[in-house]
Amino acid sequence: MKENLIEIFSSIQGEGKYVGCRQVFVRLEGCNLDCKYCDTENTPGSHARCDVETYAGSREFAKLPNPRSAEQTAMEINRLCKEVPHQAVSFTGGEPLLHAAYIREVAKELEVPVFLETNGTLYEQLAEIIDVVDIISMDIKLPSIISKPQWEAHKRFIEVAKAKDLYIKLVVGEETTEEEFRQAIDLVAETAPETLFIIQPVTPYGGCKAASPEKILICQNYALSKLKDVRVIPQTHKMIAQL
Ligand code: SF4
């Protein structure tokens, strides 16, 4: 089995529950959503070569021809993990669950936990590989940033994902409305109220503006009235110039 990959590299997880942990990142092509603040060039078929870091943390990359077999990808991940200990390997994108069968093939060769960074909509694909996934970082995408609301898909996704180490992230910006934020919190309160919930203030990009500090506090107030553990964590890797 072969897939086009964008890059494989070692870096510091900059978001969510495992912020600060050293991870290997495997970025896959393609996404099923269209977020306004998306900063990833991930059009399927747009990468003739995959950038693979030559030594963990060196920031030197070999440009290897795509598509890459699952065995080749697992070999590169295991090499990086031997060079420097890593907490997990993060499959990201794009939307990694568009490549669920490939992730299963790679995962069976790995010696580190499998971490999924997902937009939290492809619940059927998640169910197919839930047995090989250890940690799930799931986003809730609000109607103000995508063209089609995903409430039902998010609900079904949480039902599958909560069997694993799941945390849920929600990006809040100037455009986020009180109504949609409350709807997201109510959905999580209904399906998985014990799950760690992270409010991520948007990193301004592509016309998306930051939320005011007061708005972030008001959001956390509401979330804390319904959920057990609610934290505000921005994207830290951008502050310290990591990939
Ligand atoms: S889900 Fe992620 S990769 Fe897909 S459009 Fe949104 S930000 Fe971009």
Side-chain angles (χ1 to χ4, degrees):
M1 182 180 290
K2 293 189 169 184
E3 294 274 11
N4 280 5
L5 269 60
I6 301 174
E7 53 193 355
I8 303 173
F9 62 96
S10 164
S11 193
I12 300 165
Q13 174 57 253
E15 302 178 359
K17 180 177 178 181
Y18 292 94
V19 65
C21 291
R22 192 67 177 261
Q23 295 185 347
V24 174
F25 292 83
V26 178
R27 190 177 306 284
L28 293 136
E29 276 188 341
C31 187
N32 58 320
L33 297 184
D34 55 357
C35 306
K36 279 186 195 167
Y37 54 68
C38 186
D39 61 357
T40 311
E41 172 39 62
N42 59 43
T43 310
S46 60
H47 296 85
R49 294 182 177 271
C50 169
D51 288 338
V52 179
E53 198 171 32
T54 54
Y55 188 89
S58 69
R59 295 296 177 262
E60 288 183 2
F61 291 85
K63 291 196 172 297
L64 304 182
N66 270 325
R68 312 292 299 158
S69 72
E71 292 74 21
Q72 288 172 317
T73 297
M75 198 183 72
E76 298 295 353
I77 296 167
N78 285 331
R79 172 182 60 77
L80 291 167
C81 290
K82 282 201 178 75
E83 290 164 358
V84 173
H86 288 74
Q87 177 259 338
V89 53
S90 172
F91 289 91
T92 185
E95 172 47 50
L97 283 170
L98 290 172
H99 312 273
Y102 186 78
I103 292 173
R104 170 180 288 289
E105 285 299 300
V106 176
K108 71 184 186 192
E109 310 284 335
L110 300 181
E111 290 148 23
V112 284
V114 171
F115 183 109
L116 212 52
E117 296 201 48
T118 169
N119 63 33
T121 56
L122 300 177
Y123 52 91
E124 288 171 335
Q125 290 87 335
L126 178 65
E128 283 167 21
I129 61 162
I130 191 77
D131 57 311
V132 301
V133 174
D134 299 288
I135 305 164
I136 301 169
S137 169
M138 169 196 172
D139 278 6
I140 288 187
K141 301 294 188 183
L142 297 177
S144 59
I145 60 124
I146 46 176
S147 54
K148 191 170 161 233
Q150 297 290 329
W151 297 120
E152 185 58 26
H154 283 322
K155 187 170 175 220
R156 290 179 179 227
F157 194 96
I158 293 170
E159 295 291 1
V160 180
K162 67 185 180 183
K164 294 296 173 122
D165 180 358
L166 166 71
Y167 65 91
I168 299 173
K169 254 185 320 116
L170 195 154
V171 176
V172 173
E174 188 188 54
E175 286 176 276
T176 307
T177 69
E178 191 177 326
E179 187 194 4
E180 63 183 355
F181 182 83
R182 286 179 175 239
Q183 194 169 345
I185 298 301
D186 294 349
L187 183 149
V188 177
E190 253 174 53
T191 48
E194 306 287 311
T195 302
L196 169 62
F197 190 89
I198 291 168
I199 296 169
Q200 184 173 293
V202 74
T203 306
Y205 183 84
C208 282
K209 293 189 185 141
S212 69
E214 294 77 16
K215 181 172 180 173
I216 295 293
L217 285 166
I218 290 166
C219 285
Q220 193 180 29
N221 286 358
Y222 184 74
L224 282 168
S225 74
K226 302 266 177 154
L227 305 175
K228 198 170 170 192
D229 191 356
V230 181
R231 306 179 201 175
V232 176
I233 306 176
Q235 284 188 306
T236 65
H237 55 294
K238 298 197 174 170
M239 298 173 191
I240 55 172
Q242 295 294 333
L243 295 175

